Amino acid sequence: MAVFAVAAVTANAVVPSDAVTGWTQTGEDYTMNEHTSTEQGHALSGFSLEQRGYVLDTVTAPERPGQPGELTFRILGPKGDVVTDFDADHEKDLHLIVVRTDGAQFRHVHPTRDESGTWTIPWEWDAAGSYRVYADFRVKADHGPLPVTLSRTVQVAGEYTPIAPGPSSAATVDGFEVTVTGELEVGSLSQLTLSVSKQGEAVTTLEPYLGALGHLVALRAGDLGYLHMHPEGHAPGTGDTFGPEVTFVAEPPTAGLYLLYFDFQVNGTVHTAALALPAKRTESSGDPHQETDH
């Protein structure tokens, strides 16, 4: 599994409609250093409200689309106490990811925590549906930071038409065109290269964001198993720019479609492109539990 880090798009950064439509239809290169997989191991995460004894407590949020309010929650520790001591990862104590269960309406944000341990962020839903809320954070442990990813389901009242995600190797967001090249192979380290252009011209003014060249969230279609990837190596220093390509490494554990959300920053603004790629088995994949590709 790729090394995980966390990035966030400022509040209300929703997957653009043109990227969602794409799902329903069937400068300087960044060179990675040696791949490691020490933070998250070799399995998808985010399936449960409990992990390692930590619990994502009840999530409160507005009940309907267009209703302004707040999204709040707490993290409980192994002894049932409210956790207030976190180990910052990529400049933040906790990273919140919210996505509808069909892969639409993706947001990646940073709430704030008060002295009582309650996390809060202003919130308004853009569409009805069933949503998965992921809390991604690290806590201090005897042998170093311990990564934890918890999730809960939140229902937003109202009618909606779910989409049927399909492969999409290109997306347009805020005038930027993003393409992904490379293939996902089950059980193998797979390189994915994201390239950013605008009006047909390569964008070489990408900026470091939260200590990395870019961030890539992958959610497995069907169960929304969670991966959060970042390019390995050192990001450019403050004020440096790079592009148009950023390369990531992933090791998908099973065949199936993976929804990809790529965060990149230009001129101080973070953009999120939504794409999707299938992971396939080969004779050397070593995936005995998967009979066929989805």
Side-chain angles (χ1 to χ4, degrees):
M1 215 64 66
V3 177
F4 290 88
V6 186
V9 182
T10 53
N12 297 329
V14 180
V15 173
S17 59
D18 52 2
V20 172
T21 301
W23 286 344
T24 62
Q25 302 169 349
T26 300
E28 298 177 2
D29 293 350
Y30 173 69
T31 302
M32 293 182 301
N33 294 332
E34 182 181 359
H35 174 75
T36 60
S37 56
T38 57
E39 288 190 351
Q40 293 285 356
H42 294 271
L44 295 165
S45 60
F47 293 110
S48 173
L49 58 83
E50 184 277 336
Q51 184 185 22
R52 306 183 193 272
Y54 292 88
V55 174
L56 175 57
D57 203 6
T58 303
V59 176
T60 62
E63 296 180 353
R64 295 181 175 275
Q67 177 183 344
E70 295 181 329
L71 188 150
T72 67
F73 60 93
R74 301 182 304 170
I75 303 298
L76 305 182
K79 297 181 180 180
D81 53 320
V82 179
V83 179
T84 58
D85 189 13
F86 294 79
D87 190 272
D89 184 30
H90 282 258
E91 304 177 7
K92 298 294 180 179
D93 281 351
L94 182 144
H95 307 266
L96 187 72
I97 294 171
V98 180
V99 63
R100 204 166 65 182
T101 53
D102 60 357
Q105 301 295 324
F106 177 90
R107 304 188 198 185
H108 199 170
V109 297
H110 295 126
T112 57
R113 187 185 74 251
D114 64 19
E115 294 182 356
S116 72
T118 299
W119 295 88
T120 304
I121 188 169
W123 202 261
E124 183 175 329
W125 302 103
D126 289 333
S130 179
Y131 286 79
R132 289 281 290 279
V133 176
Y134 300 86
D136 193 344
F137 57 93
R138 302 196 305 182
V139 292
K140 298 177 181 179
D142 293 340
H143 301 290
L146 188 66
V148 180
T149 304
L150 310 175
S151 74
R152 272 185 178 269
T153 300
V154 175
Q155 306 295 340
V156 181
E159 296 184 1
Y160 80 104
T161 301
I163 65 170
S168 178
S169 60
T172 301
V173 54
D174 304 327
F176 292 95
E177 298 92 28
V178 178
T179 59
V180 57
T181 57
E183 295 183 353
L184 291 174
E185 181 179 324
V186 173
S188 298
L189 296 181
S190 307
Q191 284 196 355
L192 299 180
T193 298
L194 283 295
S195 182
V196 183
S197 61
K198 191 170 188 178
Q199 298 180 343
E201 299 291 332
V203 175
T204 58
T205 55
L206 301 178
E207 302 164 345
Y209 179 59
L210 294 178
L213 300 182
H215 301 271
L216 187 66
V217 170
L219 299 176
R220 184 171 58 186
D223 62 6
L224 296 184
Y226 172 86
L227 301 175
H228 202 156
M229 299 169 280
H230 70 97
E232 296 178 335
H234 299 287
T238 302
D240 291 345
T241 57
F242 56 96
E245 295 182 343
V246 182
T247 301
F248 299 82
V249 169
E251 186 179 349
T254 64
L257 185 68
Y258 288 80
L259 311 179
L260 308 176
Y261 307 90
F262 172 50
D263 291 342
F264 62 96
Q265 180 169 287
V266 179
N267 294 328
T269 299
V270 178
H271 310 273
T272 302
L275 310 103
L277 288 180
K280 300 180 179 181
R281 284 200 307 131
T282 66
E283 293 182 358
S284 60
S285 292
D287 182 23
H289 302 292
Q290 191 73 22
E291 295 291 336
T292 60
D293 293 347
H294 296 295

